[in-house]
Amino acid sequence: MSTPLYQAKAEFFKALAHPARIRVLELLAQRDHAVSEMLPEVGIEAAHLSQQLAVLRKMNLVVTRKEGSTVIYSLVSPQVAELLAVARRILTEVLTSQAGLLDDLRTAAESRSR
């Protein structure tokens, strides 16, 4: 019996549900990176970064290649970068809406206090 699509999607989004993994994907959306280049940008210990990269590899979101003794990571598809861009646009809309609601609440509070 195959996994239902909604369950596969949930597993996909679970793989994205960590700030370090999102940061790695953002970096790789810009260009391919070696682990040593990502470490200062992600701001976690090397062992922890390795664990996060393993999750991304397991979900087939990133691929690796060797250049000498250096392992270079890249996105498996440019659509991963598109997904991050869409998420940014959604968050911008949500936060803009919330900021508008906050402004309305402040205006209402100021009106009552007069």
Side-chain angles (χ1 to χ4, degrees):
M1 181 178 224
S2 66
T3 303
L5 182 57
Y6 61 85
Q7 189 171 348
K9 286 180 182 178
E11 292 300 318
F12 173 80
F13 282 108
K14 277 189 215 176
L16 299 177
H18 193 285
R21 292 192 290 261
I22 294 294
R23 185 64 183 128
V24 165
L25 293 174
E26 288 175 341
L27 291 170
L28 296 177
Q30 297 169 2
R31 65 175 177 83
D32 297 355
H33 281 76
V35 174
S36 60
E37 296 174 311
M38 287 188 274
L39 271 170
E41 295 291 330
V42 179
I44 59 176
E45 295 177 19
H48 192 205
L49 180 57
S50 179
Q51 291 171 344
Q52 302 309 322
L53 289 167
V55 170
L56 295 173
R57 280 193 315 271
K58 181 180 176 190
M59 290 303 296
N60 296 313
L61 293 170
V62 299
V63 292
T64 62
R65 71 178 186 280
K66 289 271 259 187
E67 290 184 3
S69 62
T70 304
V71 178
I72 306 294
Y73 281 82
S74 59
L75 294 179
V76 74
S77 166
Q79 291 177 332
V80 176
E82 291 174 31
L83 177 63
L84 294 171
V86 168
R88 180 182 296 263
R89 288 194 301 271
I90 291 168
L91 283 171
T92 299
E93 289 176 18
V94 167
L95 293 173
T96 299
S97 171
Q98 289 176 350
L101 178 60
L102 182 58
D103 288 342
D104 292 346
L105 289 170
R106 286 182 178 143
T107 301
E110 289 171 6
S111 295
R112 284 193 300 265
S113 65
R114 288 183 195 163

